[in-house]
Amino acid sequence: MSILKTTKTALLGSVLAMGFASGALAEDYTITVWSGGTGETGSYRWEAIQMAADILEREYAVTGQDVSITVEHQEWSGWDDFKQAVTLAAEAGNAPNIIVSGHEDIGPWSRSGLLRPVEDYVDFDAWPLSQIYPNLIDIASYDGVVWGLPQDAEARPFFFSRAHLAEIGYSQEEIDALPQRVQDGEYTLYDMLDDAKAMQDKGVVAERRGFMPRVNNGTDYWQFYVSFGGDMVDPETGKLVLDRQALTDMYQFFVDAADMGVVSSTHLGTTWDDWHQAVSSDQVGIWHGGTWHKAEWEAKWGLEDFFGEIQYSLIPAGNERGRANTISHPLVYLLSNTGTDDDAVIASELITIATEPRIAALHAVKSGKVAIGSEEAKVPVFANDRWSSIATTELLPYATAVPNDIDFGVVWKAMYAGLESSWTGTSSVEDAVNTVESEVTGQLGDAIIVR
């Protein structure tokens, strides 16, 4: 990780100090913040910047400096419209000063010149950035440069209905021990399919409600690739990797699930509302989702006793090649090239303050996310939240993340297209894998390793 000391913050501080010494010049700044994937429980993605602005104004005020900061925000609940809006605004030269987006956008947006390297504006050796988990700083980096500050992180576990496990013969002790069996590789994805089928056969859930995966494209499906032993990046060369055997086994798993009748062959494309309503009302045996979904199920879908009704675990290993895992999709604060250098300095001050443990903990607890730093995990509102602490200590250590490589989108798009075609029976698993290989090698050449 390359860390540069902040110079522009010091420069602005000097300018403001000179203004104070010579008679206190007023400075007015308007900082725009756009955040994607921001629903009701994710409002601190922009509210944290407003809180930071208030703190920063007060800090300047106590040193006799009159600095006024207006924060204007826009939020999108989804991602496609948000990313299109950012791209169009960047092309028009009026991108927001602060962008809250997924870490995978760092590669293409830094290459296009949209972003300023955040490492030029902040000091990672100073509080509060010094307590952020180093692996999250790595995820916010691309090509040896730190482009963003972690805004949040999460894990994406498996969920089991405790009642339905009991109805097919699990004792309470066996249900409690299930997460450890998954972690140890003793309970695999195919054991899960057997349990889902048993729930249906016994009539405790309806047909094709034994297993309910994610309804559309997302990083979640890379977990299953890892479960069957796949690597996304070669650690020695840094090149992208396509593991044909892992992809074959992953596709075959979903084909087998559909053939067993525990999930529909046309499941992909189901609406999120249908999915949330089903899994939060105990109509489903086993499913996977995000740690943040707990907050959504409680706030919007009426779930009253998460720990009493639901068991959780890592995503089980698929076979002896793979391992139990989860994946994290950290969001990051990014600085655009919009505005002056002083605007960027103020924006960098705001995102730095927004990562302070007490502020970050508000977002984590409200949205069901994990801590981004060691000190945040000690904040009482976080430490006393059972799910946030579990997600941070029991799930996050086993999390991978998709690479920031600018070409990974080619692999991701091809992987999901192959999953759809094999799952629905449009093509065989073998043909789907061959098509993925042809697609990625045709576009990326020797930039990707095929195993």
Side-chain angles (χ1 to χ4, degrees):
M1 178 175 66
S2 174
I3 303 297
L4 301 179
K5 295 292 185 183
T6 178
T7 55
K8 295 181 179 178
T9 301
L11 175 61
L12 181 67
S14 298
V15 171
L16 291 171
M18 290 172 61
F20 173 60
S22 62
L25 298 175
E27 299 281 353
D28 295 319
Y29 295 91
T30 297
I31 302 297
T32 51
V33 184
W34 290 7
S35 61
T38 303
E40 181 181 349
T41 60
S43 60
Y44 275 108
R45 288 191 172 129
W46 56 267
E47 288 179 310
I49 301 299
Q50 289 186 326
M51 295 173 68
D54 180 60
I55 293 171
L56 190 57
E57 284 180 342
R58 290 170 184 267
E59 288 180 344
Y60 281 125
V62 296
T63 59
Q65 299 167 86
D66 185 10
V67 175
S68 175
I69 304 169
T70 300
V71 174
E72 296 179 346
H73 83 275
Q74 291 189 56
E75 60 187 281
W76 284 257
S77 59
W79 288 108
D80 291 344
D81 290 345
F82 163 73
K83 294 185 182 187
Q84 182 180 33
V86 171
T87 301
L88 292 174
E91 291 173 354
N94 55 11
N97 302 100
I98 299 171
I99 305 168
V100 188
S101 193
H103 68 96
E104 73 278 5
D105 293 319
I106 290 175
W109 285 352
S110 62
R111 286 284 188 90
S112 70
L114 167 59
L115 304 180
R116 301 171 190 254
V118 76
E119 68 176 25
D120 288 353
Y121 293 86
V122 303
D123 185 351
F124 284 94
D125 294 327
W127 175 267
L129 304 186
S130 57
Q131 55 87 44
I132 291 180
Y133 294 128
N135 65 325
L136 294 182
I137 300 294
D138 291 342
I139 291 172
S141 305
Y142 172 67
D143 204 18
V145 176
V146 186
W147 293 92
L149 294 186
Q151 188 274 324
D152 72 10
E154 91 286 304
R156 303 185 179 216
F158 246 49
F159 296 105
F160 303 79
S161 164
R162 283 181 171 272
H164 299 332
L165 285 175
E167 287 170 304
I168 61 171
Y170 274 74
S171 67
Q172 190 59 51
E173 291 73 20
E174 289 171 330
I175 294 172
D176 291 341
L178 189 54
Q180 189 63 53
R181 291 185 62 209
V182 170
Q183 183 176 320
D184 294 342
E186 297 174 0
Y187 183 94
T188 70
L189 285 171
Y190 278 93
D191 292 323
M192 180 278 295
L193 291 186
D194 289 340
D195 282 343
K197 185 68 165 54
M199 291 175 186
Q200 293 185 181
D201 290 345
K202 198 158 186 175
V204 299
V205 296
E207 293 293 314
R208 292 179 292 281
R209 289 296 178 102
F211 176 43
M212 205 162 190
R214 180 186 174 95
V215 302
N216 62 7
N217 197 0
T219 57
D220 308 54
Y221 282 108
W222 287 104
Q223 298 171 121
F224 295 90
Y225 175 77
V226 174
S227 286
F228 286 102
D231 292 318
M232 289 176 267
V233 175
D234 179 67
E236 294 185 2
T237 64
K239 287 186 175 181
L240 297 173
V241 171
L242 178 68
D243 185 320
R244 283 183 53 94
Q245 187 60 57
L247 198 63
T248 298
D249 293 340
M250 168 191 167
Y251 287 175
Q252 188 62 54
F253 165 75
F254 285 101
V255 170
D256 290 342
D259 287 346
M260 291 173 67
V262 298
V263 64
S264 169
S265 62
T266 57
H267 172 75
L268 293 175
T270 304
T271 70
W272 277 115
D273 280 356
D274 287 345
W275 184 86
H276 281 295
Q277 196 278 331
V279 302
S280 62
S281 60
D282 220 16
Q283 297 179 37
V284 177
I286 305 165
W287 64 102
H288 67 95
T291 53
W292 68 94
H293 284 146
K294 171 180 177 292
E296 292 184 34
W297 297 331
E298 292 173 338
K300 185 176 179 180
W301 298 97
L303 179 64
E304 295 181 351
D305 184 10
F306 175 82
F307 291 103
E309 297 181 29
I310 296 173
Q311 180 58 291
Y312 63 88
S313 78
L314 297 169
I315 306 298
N319 57 22
E320 66 281 357
R321 290 187 74 230
R323 58 183 170 82
N325 74 100
T326 183
I327 201 165
S328 188
H329 178 232
L331 265 61
V332 288
Y333 290 119
L334 303 171
L335 299 177
S336 82
N337 59 12
T338 297
T340 67
D341 277 348
D342 281 356
D343 292 333
V345 170
I346 290 293
S348 70
E349 294 263 21
L350 296 179
I351 62 176
T352 298
I353 294 171
T355 63
E356 289 187 5
R358 294 191 72 171
I359 297 177
L362 292 174
H363 172 72
V365 172
K366 183 177 180 181
S367 63
K369 297 287 184 169
V370 302
I372 60 172
S374 56
E375 297 305 307
E376 179 185 342
K378 301 174 184 175
V379 174
V381 70
F382 184 93
N384 295 331
D385 184 81
R386 182 179 173 186
W387 182 234
S388 296
S389 295
I390 287 173
T392 299
T393 59
E394 298 183 20
L395 299 174
L396 191 60
Y398 299 90
T400 58
V402 296
N404 287 336
D405 193 300
I406 192 172
D407 292 325
F408 186 69
V410 173
V411 188
W412 189 342
K413 182 179 179 182
M415 179 278 284
Y416 190 71
L419 178 65
E420 283 185 304
S421 65
S422 57
W423 191 337
T424 58
T426 305
S427 69
S428 68
V429 168
E430 182 179 7
D431 287 346
V433 173
N434 288 337
T435 300
V436 173
E437 179 180 351
S438 177
E439 184 72 23
V440 300
T441 56
Q443 293 195 48
L444 304 181
D446 62 4
I448 186 167
I449 298 171
V450 178
R451 294 174 177 163

